[in-house]
Amino acid sequence: KARIFSGVQPSGTPTIGNYIGAMRGFVQLQDEYDATYCVVNQHAITVPQEPKRLKEMTRELAALYLAIGIDPNKSTIFVQSDVPAHTQSAWLILCHTGLGELERMTQYKDKAQKQEAVNAGLLAYPALMVGDIILHDAAYVPVGDDQRQHIELTRNFVDRFNNRYGDVLVKPEGIYPKAGARVMSLQDPMSKMSKSDANERGFVSMLDTPNQITKKIKSAVTDSIGEINYDKEAQPAIANLIEIYANLSDKSTDDIVQAYAGKGYGPFKTDLAELVVSVLEPIQTRYEKLLSSSELDDILHDGAIKANEQANQVLARMNKAIGIGY
Ligand code: TYM
């Protein structure tokens, strides 16, 4: 089986954007691939975090991984800080990466703009992400559209490293969902849905109550056209809602447009809210149980053992190639 790897930052409760863009795919891909999923807590400290909350959110995200249906008998789940090879590889990668390459990353530029003081880790971030991916010999990486540039950077890094040192690393490819690779804010279809949005009505969190979900979807901005069409240019807000619907129902955007022809936005929003609630409710029930169980700790412990074994092998390959050691 080909190997896949992905991760999510425990920097807030994941939104339906994270679920649709990436996490739902984690579950679907675990049968076909040898999958490893990581809670990337060391990535989260590139911006300020409250220490107590960071620890809680790390465990919460691991519980959510299991609650959405990642099966620890099929996939490896672990927390980044349990596998020191990740940060160790980041140093090796930084020493083989141009400053200009990192400065070009749009995610860096966006996030830097929002910070009062920018730490060097925010710039170095993609090197740690490259490390995450290559240490697990990942051939594929399921992510949302906003990670495209980081995947490209990883591919370029692997080419450069292998050209210089021989065939040491696996070159990965991104996997993106058909609909919903870039879920937009419910309040502004021009900006990405984000778990750190100050306007809470812009996103649906995976732990929102049915009532909150329904309110947020019913108050999502639309347009004055009043007709359901899938047209990202002319009707970006409606196109966004159609993509959310398409992804969660496994229907095509065309089918949805046809089903709501001539019906207006009201009934469409009602059905969409029902769909989102029906997807999230069972996840939330499982999540509550897992969070207070020792099963979760056992799974993370086992995951760390497996992940360390795999990651240390690749780190050793890298060190040997570079000439680190004596
Ligand atoms: P993060 O934590 O910001 O997001 C986790 C995943 O969710 C996707 N995503 C979205 N997809 C669609 N619409 C949206 N509005 C949306 N917002 C977020 C992201 O694309 C991502 O797949 N750098 C990564 C974490 C990471 C990683 C890795 C991923 C660290 N190391 C190695 C893959 C492989 C990040 O910040 O994701």
Side-chain angles (χ1 to χ4, degrees), residues 5-9 11 15 17-18 20-22 40 43 80 107 111 125 128-129 132-133 141-147 150-151 180-184 192-195:
F5 179 95
S6 197
V8 177
Q9 295 191 59
S11 53
T15 68
N18 298 121
I20 289 170
V40 291
H43 273 99
Q80 191 178 35
Q107 189 163 30
K111 287 194 176 179
Y125 178 116
L128 183 56
M129 178 162 166
D132 296 339
I133 296 169
V141 184
V143 280
D145 192 60
D146 61 352
Q147 298 302 316
H150 291 158
I151 301 294
R182 190 177 182 81
V183 177
M184 308 309 281
K192 194 181 67 178
M193 182 179 285
S194 158
K195 53 189 174 239

Coordinates of all heavy atoms in Angstrom, one line a residue, residues 5-9 11 15 17-18 20-22 40 43 80 107 111 125 128-129 132-133 141-147 150-151 180-184 192-195, ligand 1:
F5 N 0.3 10.8 4.4 CA 0.5 11.5 5.7 C -0.3 12.8 5.7 O -0.3 13.5 4.6 CB 2.0 11.8 5.9 CG 2.2 12.6 7.2 CD1 2.6 11.9 8.4 CD2 2.1 14.0 7.3 CE1 2.8 12.6 9.6 CE2 2.3 14.6 8.5 CZ 2.7 13.9 9.6
S6 N -0.9 13.2 6.8 CA -1.4 14.6 6.9 C -1.5 15.0 8.3 O -1.3 14.2 9.3 CB -2.8 14.7 6.2 OG -3.0 16.1 6.0
G7 N -1.7 16.3 8.6 CA -1.8 16.8 9.9 C -2.7 18.0 10.0 O -3.0 18.7 9.0
V8 N -3.1 18.3 11.2 CA -4.0 19.5 11.5 C -3.4 20.1 12.7 O -2.9 19.5 13.7 CB -5.4 19.1 11.8 CG1 -6.3 20.3 12.1 CG2 -6.0 18.4 10.5
Q9 N -3.4 21.5 12.8 CA -2.9 22.2 13.9 C -3.9 22.3 15.0 O -5.1 22.6 14.7 CB -2.5 23.6 13.6 CG -1.4 23.8 12.6 CD -1.0 25.2 12.5 OE1 -0.6 25.8 13.5 NE2 -1.1 25.8 11.3
S11 N -4.9 24.5 16.9 CA -4.8 26.0 17.2 C -6.2 26.5 17.4 O -6.5 27.7 17.3 CB -4.1 26.7 16.1 OG -4.6 26.4 14.9
T15 N -13.0 23.6 11.9 CA -14.2 24.0 11.3 C -14.7 23.0 10.3 O -13.9 22.1 10.0 CB -14.0 25.4 10.6 OG1 -13.2 25.1 9.5 CG2 -13.4 26.4 11.5
G17 N -14.6 23.6 7.4 CA -13.7 23.8 6.3 C -12.5 22.8 6.5 O -12.1 22.2 5.5
N18 N -12.0 22.6 7.7 CA -11.0 21.6 7.9 C -11.5 20.2 7.6 O -10.8 19.4 7.0 CB -10.5 21.7 9.4 CG -9.9 23.0 9.8 OD1 -10.3 23.6 10.7 ND2 -8.8 23.4 9.1
I20 N -14.1 19.3 5.6 CA -14.4 19.1 4.2 C -13.2 19.1 3.4 O -13.0 18.2 2.5 CB -15.4 20.2 3.7 CG1 -16.8 19.9 4.4 CG2 -15.5 20.2 2.2 CD1 -17.8 21.0 4.2
G21 N -12.3 20.0 3.7 CA -11.0 20.1 2.9 C -10.0 19.0 3.1 O -9.3 18.7 2.2
A22 N -10.0 18.5 4.3 CA -9.0 17.5 4.6 C -9.4 16.3 5.4 O -9.3 15.2 5.0 CB -7.8 18.2 5.3
V40 N -0.4 18.3 14.9 CA 0.9 19.1 14.7 C 1.0 20.2 15.7 O 0.9 21.4 15.4 CB 1.2 19.5 13.3 CG1 1.5 18.3 12.4 CG2 0.0 20.3 12.7
H43 N 3.7 23.0 15.3 CA 3.4 24.0 14.3 C 2.5 25.1 15.0 O 2.6 26.3 14.6 CB 2.5 23.4 13.2 CG 3.4 22.8 12.1 ND1 3.7 21.5 11.9 CD2 4.0 23.4 11.0 CE1 4.5 21.3 10.9 NE2 4.7 22.5 10.3
Q80 N 2.7 15.2 17.3 CA 4.0 15.6 16.7 C 5.2 15.7 17.8 O 6.2 15.2 17.5 CB 3.9 17.0 16.0 CG 5.0 17.4 15.2 CD 4.8 18.8 14.6 OE1 4.1 19.7 15.2 NE2 5.2 19.0 13.3
Q107 N 1.0 31.8 2.9 CA 0.5 31.6 4.3 C 1.3 32.4 5.3 O 0.8 33.0 6.2 CB 0.4 30.1 4.6 CG -0.3 29.9 5.9 CD -0.8 28.4 6.1 OE1 -0.1 27.5 5.7 NE2 -1.8 28.3 6.9
K111 N -0.2 35.3 7.6 CA -0.2 35.2 9.1 C 0.7 36.3 9.7 O 0.4 36.8 10.8 CB 0.3 33.8 9.5 CG -0.7 32.7 9.3 CD -0.4 31.5 10.0 CE -1.5 30.4 9.8 NZ -1.2 29.2 10.5
Y125 N 8.3 27.6 9.4 CA 7.2 26.7 9.5 C 7.2 25.6 8.3 O 7.1 24.4 8.6 CB 5.9 27.5 9.4 CG 4.6 26.8 9.4 CD1 3.7 26.9 10.5 CD2 4.2 26.0 8.4 CE1 2.4 26.3 10.5 CE2 2.9 25.4 8.3 CZ 2.1 25.5 9.4 OH 0.9 24.9 9.4
L128 N 9.3 22.5 8.8 CA 8.8 21.5 9.7 C 7.7 20.7 9.0 O 7.7 19.4 9.2 CB 8.3 22.2 11.0 CG 7.7 21.2 12.1 CD1 8.8 20.2 12.6 CD2 7.2 22.1 13.3
M129 N 7.0 21.3 8.2 CA 5.9 20.6 7.4 C 6.5 19.6 6.4 O 6.1 18.5 6.2 CB 5.0 21.6 6.8 CG 3.9 20.9 5.9 SD 2.5 22.0 5.6 CE 1.7 21.1 4.3
D132 N 7.6 16.7 8.4 CA 6.5 15.8 8.7 C 6.2 14.8 7.6 O 6.0 13.6 7.8 CB 5.2 16.6 8.8 CG 5.2 17.6 10.0 OD1 6.0 17.4 10.9 OD2 4.4 18.6 10.0
I133 N 6.2 15.3 6.4 CA 5.8 14.6 5.2 C 6.9 13.5 4.8 O 6.6 12.4 4.6 CB 5.5 15.5 4.0 CG1 4.2 16.4 4.3 CG2 5.2 14.7 2.7 CD1 4.0 17.5 3.4
V141 N -0.5 13.3 0.1 CA -0.8 14.2 1.3 C -2.2 14.8 1.1 O -2.3 15.7 0.2 CB 0.3 15.3 1.4 CG1 0.0 16.1 2.7 CG2 1.7 14.7 1.5
P142 N -3.2 14.3 1.8 CA -4.6 14.9 1.6 C -4.6 16.2 2.4 O -4.5 16.2 3.6 CB -5.5 13.8 2.2 CG -4.6 13.0 3.2 CD -3.2 13.1 2.7
V143 N -4.9 17.3 1.7 CA -4.9 18.6 2.3 C -5.9 19.5 1.5 O -6.4 19.1 0.4 CB -3.6 19.4 2.2 CG1 -2.6 18.9 3.3 CG2 -2.9 19.2 0.9
G144 N -6.3 20.6 2.1 CA -7.1 21.6 1.4 C -6.2 22.5 0.5 O -5.0 22.4 0.5
D145 N -6.9 23.3 -0.3 CA -6.2 24.1 -1.3 C -5.1 25.1 -0.8 O -4.1 25.3 -1.4 CB -7.3 24.9 -2.0 CG -6.8 25.5 -3.3 OD1 -6.4 24.8 -4.2 OD2 -6.9 26.8 -3.4
D146 N -5.3 25.5 0.4 CA -4.4 26.5 1.0 C -3.0 25.9 1.3 O -2.1 26.7 1.6 CB -5.0 27.2 2.3 CG -5.2 26.2 3.4 OD1 -5.1 25.0 3.2 OD2 -5.6 26.7 4.5
Q147 N -2.9 24.6 1.2 CA -1.6 24.0 1.4 C -0.8 23.7 0.1 O 0.3 23.1 0.2 CB -1.8 22.7 2.3 CG -2.4 22.9 3.6 CD -1.5 23.9 4.5 OE1 -0.3 23.8 4.5 NE2 -2.2 24.8 5.1
H150 N 2.8 24.8 0.0 CA 3.7 24.1 0.9 C 4.0 22.7 0.3 O 5.1 22.2 0.5 CB 3.0 23.9 2.3 CG 2.9 25.2 3.0 ND1 2.0 25.4 4.1 CD2 3.6 26.3 2.9 CE1 2.1 26.6 4.6 NE2 3.1 27.2 3.9
I151 N 3.0 22.1 -0.4 CA 3.3 20.8 -1.0 C 4.3 21.0 -2.2 O 5.2 20.2 -2.4 CB 2.0 20.2 -1.6 CG1 0.9 20.0 -0.5 CG2 2.2 18.9 -2.3 CD1 1.3 19.0 0.6
G180 N -15.0 21.5 -2.3 CA -14.7 22.0 -1.0 C -13.3 22.0 -0.6 O -12.9 22.0 0.6
A181 N -12.4 22.1 -1.6 CA -10.9 22.2 -1.3 C -10.6 23.6 -0.7 O -9.6 23.7 0.0 CB -10.1 22.0 -2.6
R182 N -11.5 24.5 -0.9 CA -11.4 25.8 -0.3 C -12.7 26.3 0.2 O -13.5 27.0 -0.6 CB -10.7 26.8 -1.3 CG -10.3 28.1 -0.7 CD -9.6 29.0 -1.7 NE -9.2 30.2 -1.1 CZ -8.0 30.3 -0.4 NH1 -7.2 29.3 -0.3 NH2 -7.7 31.5 0.1
V183 N -13.1 26.0 1.4 CA -14.4 26.4 1.9 C -14.3 27.9 2.4 O -13.3 28.2 3.1 CB -14.8 25.5 3.1 CG1 -16.2 26.0 3.7 CG2 -15.0 24.1 2.6
M184 N -15.2 28.7 2.0 CA -15.1 30.1 2.2 C -15.9 30.5 3.5 O -16.8 29.8 3.9 CB -15.6 31.0 1.0 CG -14.9 30.6 -0.3 SD -13.1 30.5 -0.2 CE -12.7 32.3 -0.3
K192 N -11.3 32.9 3.2 CA -11.3 31.5 3.5 C -11.9 31.3 4.9 O -11.7 32.1 5.8 CB -9.8 31.0 3.6 CG -9.6 29.5 3.6 CD -8.1 29.2 3.6 CE -7.5 29.6 5.0 NZ -6.1 29.3 5.1
M193 N -12.7 30.2 5.1 CA -13.2 29.9 6.4 C -12.1 29.5 7.3 O -11.2 28.7 6.9 CB -14.2 28.7 6.3 CG -14.8 28.4 7.7 SD -16.1 27.0 7.6 CE -17.5 27.8 6.9
S194 N -12.0 30.1 8.5 CA -10.8 29.8 9.3 C -11.3 29.7 10.8 O -12.1 30.4 11.2 CB -9.9 31.0 9.2 OG -9.0 31.1 10.3
K195 N -10.6 28.7 11.5 CA -10.9 28.5 12.9 C -10.5 29.7 13.8 O -11.0 29.8 14.9 CB -10.4 27.2 13.4 CG -8.9 27.0 13.2 CD -8.5 25.5 13.5 CE -7.0 25.2 13.2 NZ -6.7 24.2 12.3
Ligands
TYM1 P1 -4.5 23.7 9.2 O1 -4.4 23.2 10.6 O2 -4.6 25.1 9.0 O3 -5.7 23.0 8.5 C1 -5.9 21.6 8.5 C2 -6.3 21.1 7.1 O4 -7.6 21.8 6.8 C3 -7.5 22.4 5.5 N1 -8.3 23.6 5.5 C4 -9.3 23.9 4.7 N2 -9.8 23.2 3.6 C5 -10.8 23.7 2.9 N3 -11.3 24.9 3.3 C6 -10.9 25.7 4.3 N4 -11.4 26.9 4.6 C7 -9.8 25.2 5.0 N5 -9.1 25.6 6.1 C8 -8.2 24.7 6.4 C9 -6.0 22.7 5.3 O5 -5.7 22.8 3.9 C10 -5.4 21.5 6.0 O6 -5.3 20.4 5.1 N6 0.2 23.3 7.5 C11 -1.0 22.6 7.8 C12 -0.8 21.5 8.9 C13 0.4 20.6 8.6 C14 0.4 19.5 7.6 C15 1.6 18.9 7.7 C16 -0.5 19.1 6.6 C17 1.5 20.5 9.2 N7 2.3 19.5 8.7 C18 2.0 17.8 6.9 C19 -0.2 18.0 5.8 C20 1.1 17.4 5.9 C21 -2.0 23.6 8.4 O7 -1.7 24.6 8.8 O8 -3.3 23.1 8.4

